[in-house]
Amino acid sequence: MCCLGCRAAAEWIEQLGLADYYALRTAPGQKPDAPAENLSPDSWNRVDNARHVVRDLGGGLRETLLLVEGVRCTACVWLIERSLGATPGVVSVQVNAAARRARVIWRDAAVTLPQLLQTLSRVGYGALPLDSRGLDDLRRRESRDALKRLLVAGFGTMQAMMYATAIYLGAAETLDVSTRELLRWLGLLVATPVVLYSARPFFAGALRSLRARRAGMDVPVALAIAAVYAASLIESVRGTGEVYFDSVSMFVFFLLAGRYLEMRARHRAGDLTDALARLTPPFADRQREDGTWQRVGIHELRVGDCVRVAEGGIMPADGVLLSGGCRVDEALLSGESAPVLKRPADLLIAGSVLEDGPVLVRIERVGADTALAGIAALAGRAHAERPRLQVAGELAAGRFVGRVLALTALTATVWGFVDPARAFSAAVAVLVISCPCAFALAVPAAITRALGALARRGVLVVRPDAIQALAECTHALFDKTGTLTETTLSLADLHAFGDVSRDEALSLAATLARQSRHPVARAIAAAHPGISGGAVSEVNSHAGLGVSATIAGRTLRLGRSDFAVTGFPLSREHEDAVLLAGDTGPIAAFRIGERLRSDAGAAIDALQSRGVTVLIASGDASSRVAHIAARLNVDTWRARVLPAGKLAWLTELRAAGARVLAVGDGINDAPVLAGADVAIALAEGSELTQASSDIVLEGGRLDAIPAARDIAQRTIAIIRQNQRWALFYNLSAVPLAALGFVPPWLAALGMSLSSLGVILNALRIGREDLAPRTAALVRAPAEFSPRPAA
Amino acid sequence: MNILLLLIPLSLLFMAGAVWVFFWAVNHDQFDDLDTPALMPLDDTDQRAGRRDE
């Protein structure tokens, strides 16, 4: 606890019986920023503002879907459900931690939406009502559908296999014909729902690809399923040859299992709609013609409106600054957290945060025309364009099925000339024998295993084809701020002049720094926890220069060297530092810098030692990028690049034949991530970024990247081994079986052993190095800590 | 082998029953949130009270 206020809050939590939160939580809480004024819950009182987010259930019941920010783990869910549930008038609360959504039903007479939002903000969660169209919740339907299809496929597979085993084994003991027929028809019975219900997404996907005249992965899969099923159906009716209902069910089941895991990861990563909803405030204060202010929803804003934005507020749309200068955090455009100074007539962009205010702004661009929407559109476009560039990779996966289908056609034609009666069954035999083992198991089993192994290390794979791209990447393009470094500034170095101790100097500086909101001041204040003795008076903040105050009778100044110290000679190295000075001269010099993530160096070394070229692209100033690049031994970097510039560099690299892995966290990284061969977003970064990436890294652990690449490479190697093994098995076993050297029971045994071998081989993925799991929970100590006075 | 004529329809009935039960469970929110319910037993507060009276 840092102060009396915290103690009061802690006691209040205890009194409310909410202290279990600390016992239940599994991830540290997120410190809330002061809520921006135009996000305040009262705004929802205006009926027009709330109409599109609330659904009337009749009988005085209302329903809304809240996007809750800062939900980290199940303890948060518990706290939200408990605090909202205890509010009189609330009928039901359902929180989904993975989707960060809360569905609330309440009685209109007893409680209002603003009161609910206020309750949530009191326990520390910002909530944003989502458009009531979101109540239908596509995601939930998708996840339920997928689960049902998977289960039907699972049950069908088990039953079909049982009947198939009976046929295989029974054939040796001369099973009588009628029983054999019965088992075959039963196989048809259980495989039919699997093919017609569970496999429907594959058929739908294939149809979509064919309509769009693209060769997707679904086309060969759907063809194979349909062909095997139709062939077995015909054989059942004719009562000859072999049926393969077990194979086709198993094929569908394994593919669905892989898709289900992928869908869960995708839902966790968030989507574009959430991302944009979160970045701009839902309301703005618009000036009426008579000069009074009216709070309106941002969808009502028009070009030319005059809008007031408070200190700490978020710009609702792009506009021109009318009032005096202000500092603005434009992290979403540049990725840099250091604020930018804006003068009258400068353009402020939607989503940027005002460091000081209030300011008046004339709206110039709204909605889809804003710079923010432009970045989102750029990300969307880069994402949409990627499949075309990646067709080669996708085809490689589909090529195997293609070859099998070609071989089947060839067999059918050849047999058509030799013995037309046997052409059909021979063709099906080729199709089936090469399919279940090599295709239904070799790839999905390995991919499914790899997804699980990666998720355990905090690497959530959203799109499984990212595994191949990750294994093959040659270049890694990192963002700097927020990715390689931590998001906030911190004190990097301290030099005390004369006989002042470091601790004393820092204590004085921190006391002074607490009087200012400037990011540099905040960095200094954060470096010293204590409060210096002595009263602080005559505080003066000098914009762009620093702060001065009288502490215990001493006049002190903290800020730029030309402001803090006048008339004392300074060495060059201290000229651009932040200085603390009294009337008698300088007391201490502080160097403010970005702190590298503790594992950034190790991660980059590991990548470089694996032959990956590491690059840095940043929107920050050259000197700072150069400094970070030098510390990380990265030779190639570009500074002052905007989102479009990063994308251009990426395109350049790809044109030169590189396969690029992009790592980023900010909104400005979204386009480059969307356009990369494989993109990794940090889970603590923006939603938009996560929505345009393939892999989400939890806990900001960069050293998981080289480990993930190792796993990906191992996965690809194991898939190749499996396919080679299946090919070898089929090439040697099929002709032998065809010539009558292998009795059916041996063939059945061989096939099972082959499948088992393939699965056991896949289980080897990610078995080694379980150690990093524990390290994930321990944060490395800060690089700088004030030494106690000697 | 005549016992098969009883056992196989029985197994199919079981399977249909299992699918029905599972579909019911999915449709009644049983699989929407797999994390929170695990914590319920750890929480010794009375569900309806909302606050702890100590």
Side-chain angles (χ1 to χ4, degrees), chain A residues 149 151-164 182-200 203 225-226 228-233 236 243-253 256, chain B residues 12 15:
Chain A
R149 288 183 206 284
L151 182 105
V152 168
F155 274 138
T157 306
M158 281 192 284
Q159 296 288 319
M161 275 178 151
M162 219 164 69
Y163 302 134
L182 175 69
L183 290 175
R184 288 166 65 137
W185 283 106
L186 284 169
L188 173 67
L189 183 68
V190 292
T192 302
V194 175
V195 171
L196 295 189
Y197 174 70
S198 297
R200 205 189 297 157
F203 293 125
I225 296 173
V228 176
Y229 180 74
S232 302
L233 181 67
S236 295
V243 294
Y244 301 100
F245 293 118
D246 57 327
S247 307
V248 73
S249 309
M250 188 168 71
F251 184 33
V252 173
F253 176 68
L256 282 177
Chain B
L12 288 176
M15 192 178 80

Side-chain angles (χ1 to χ4, degrees), chain A residues 82 140 144 148 159 186, chain B residues 8 15 27 29 32 43:
Chain A
R82 186 49 50 98
R140 193 161 78 162
R144 286 182 172 186
K148 288 180 188 168
Q159 296 288 319
L186 284 169
Chain B
I8 287 178
M15 192 178 80
N27 287 333
D29 303 354
D32 286 353
D43 170 22

Side-chain angles (χ1 to χ4, degrees), chain A residues 7 17 63 120 179 196 272 335 351 367 384-385 547 573 579 607 609 676 694 728 750 760:
Chain A
R7 199 168 79 194
E63 182 182 23
L120 268 184
T179 316
L196 295 189
L272 220 62
E385 277 166 9
V547 59
E573 62 170 312
L579 281 166
L607 281 174
S609 72
D694 308 308
F728 165 77
L760 288 179

Side-chain angles (χ1 to χ4, degrees), chain A residues 345-431:
Chain A
D346 277 354
L347 186 70
L348 301 179
I349 59 168
S352 54
V353 182
L354 256 67
E355 291 279 325
D356 37 32
V359 297
L360 287 183
V361 177
R362 194 181 64 238
I363 299 300
E364 290 284 310
R365 292 192 297 248
V366 292
D369 300 330
T370 58
L372 177 63
I375 295 176
L378 190 62
R381 205 160 50 235
H383 214 120
E385 277 166 9
R386 181 161 55 173
R388 217 174 307 140
L389 300 169
Q390 242 187 4
V391 149
E394 245 183 36
L395 281 184
R399 211 176 289 152
F400 187 80
V401 192
R403 268 190 225 134
V404 170
L405 289 175
L407 191 63
T408 311
L410 185 72
T411 316
T413 331
V414 172
W415 275 103
F417 288 115
V418 180
D419 181 1
R422 293 186 60 190
F424 188 69
S425 55
V428 175
V430 170
L431 185 63

Side-chain angles (χ1 to χ4, degrees), chain A residues 730-784:
Chain A
N730 290 325
L731 282 183
S732 54
V734 175
L736 285 178
L739 293 173
F741 287 129
V742 185
W745 64 268
L746 188 59
L749 193 68
M751 243 177 123
S752 312
L753 284 182
S754 160
S755 304
L756 202 64
V758 163
I759 290 181
L760 288 179
N761 196 21
L763 287 183
R764 291 195 302 141
I765 297 169
R767 280 210 40 200
E768 302 94 301
D769 67 307
L770 284 166
R773 169 104 177 89
T774 42
L777 302 170
V778 185
R779 278 222 163 253
E783 270 177 34
F784 173 83

